[in-house]
Amino acid sequence: MIEPTIQHVHPADEASLAQAITLLKSGELVAFPTETVYGLGADARNGQAVAKIFAAKGRPSFNPLIVHFAEAESAAREVFFDGRAERLAAAYWPGPLTLVLPRRGASAISPLCSAGLDSLAVRVPGHPIGQRLLRDSGLALAAPSANASGRISPTSAYHVAQSLGSRVPLILDGGPAQVGLESSVVDLTSSKARLLRPGGIAVESIESVIGPLVGPQSSEGALENGEALLAPGLMASHYAPDLPVRLRATSVSATEALLAFGPEPLAGAALTINLSPSGNLTEAAARLFEALYALDQHDFAAIAAMPIPDHGLGQAINDRLTRAAAPRIAAQTDSEVLE
Ligand code: TXA
Ligand code: MG
């Protein structure tokens, strides 16, 4: 028997790629693999199609979307690239880097993608299936991570089906996402380059190309200061499993599930998943969301997470874990929007 939760999942072969393009061109949603996480794609120039993304995710409408392109030249027709943007695009595209740039006045990308801002987030993804879809369709695809708002990002087609199921007519299965963490988001709309979200490219690597970054801005700080949120998606509680998450665990109880790291995992947990027994941060990033999905079972009291070094991709991993452990106020707001 086919489980209802895996309906609409199809291997990304020629036939399903053709079907995906037909669906996208008629304003429907298609979930597709990128090298970071799976995206929930819509034709970015079709406002009604983009609106379906917000509806399917239950995403607050103030949260803008990343628009994906086959190559940098297509992105440059919609936004203004400066020297910093050109150097970063040359260094890391296709790849896990998103640039927030000023929109061109003549851009036909739906203003919903910018959620009222005069900037647009653009990215050229590296996954061969995502690339094929963009190239063969000729479309720009608005695509947030293909999970219900506030929940863990999907690194497999199965995660997408679990989270969004029947709300997506087609989920292209291209295997597990290699990077496993969302793209790094860099805001270049002012003279000070700002890291809005640590992600698949280490901060140090970005700084080696354009010099020091400011940020990331904490959402609590912004709200306290009464500033507008620069990256509204950075609400404190995001990437939330159902279970509470306990950070920097130095011991674990028999009722807890353990997210371990390194050669000496804590003993005594009900279930342990080691992100990287050898202590490799790239391997740990690739496994993070998969592990959180697997540990998030109702028979446990909590997920205990061992400390992760805060350099390189460790910074992005710790950012996601901190959000997973944050009080669930923002996530509750999201589910209200969902209903
Ligand atoms: O790896 C990724 O980036 C994945 C794959 C599918 O490409 N996409 C993704 O999208 O993570 P999403 O929508 O879940 O996260 C986009 C982030 C949010 O934090 C959003 O607030 C921020 O980028 N963002 C998008 N457009 C922005 C803009 N114009 N200004 C500031 N922040 C923006
Ligand atoms: Mg997301």
Side-chain angles (χ1 to χ4, degrees), residues 212-232:
L213 296 169
V214 287
Q217 178 200 41
S218 96
S219 54
E220 288 91 346
L223 292 175
E224 272 165 25
N225 300 334
E227 292 170 29
L229 279 178
L230 293 178

Side-chain angles (χ1 to χ4, degrees), residues 12 20 45 62 118 136 138 146 155 170 192 199 216 267 269 272 276 281 308 338:
R45 294 184 180 85
F62 51 75
D118 50 17
D136 293 2
T155 53
L170 175 62
K192 280 200 176 125
T272 295
S276 173
L281 289 167
I308 310 272
L338 191 67

Side-chain angles (χ1 to χ4, degrees), residues 32-41 53 57 59 62-68 95-101 103 113-115 117-123 125 141-147 153-154 179 181-187 189 196-197 199-200 229-235 238-239 320:
F32 65 97
T34 84
E35 80 283 37
T36 56
V37 298
Y38 275 66
L40 181 60
I53 293 179
K57 280 187 63 96
R59 165 174 268 203
F62 51 75
N63 198 352
L65 301 171
I66 298 172
V67 180
H68 299 67
L97 176 70
T98 294
L99 301 177
V100 176
L101 295 167
R103 274 179 80 108
C113 297
S114 299
L117 304 169
D118 50 17
S119 59
L120 188 68
V122 295
R123 173 163 112 81
L141 294 179
S145 50
N147 51 280
S153 288
V179 177
L181 275 181
E182 299 88 343
S183 59
S184 306
V185 181
V186 178
D187 180 355
T189 56
L196 296 181
R197 178 176 73 182
L229 279 178
L230 293 178
L234 298 183
M235 289 179 290
H238 208 72
Y239 312 100
R320 304 306 187 271

Side-chain angles (χ1 to χ4, degrees), residues 243 252-259 266-273 294-295 297-304:
L243 289 180
V252 66
S253 87
T255 59
E256 289 178 313
L258 179 69
L259 187 70
L266 297 170
L271 173 66
T272 295
I273 296 182
L295 295 175
Q297 299 175 24
H298 293 292
D299 11 344
F300 309 136
I303 297 172

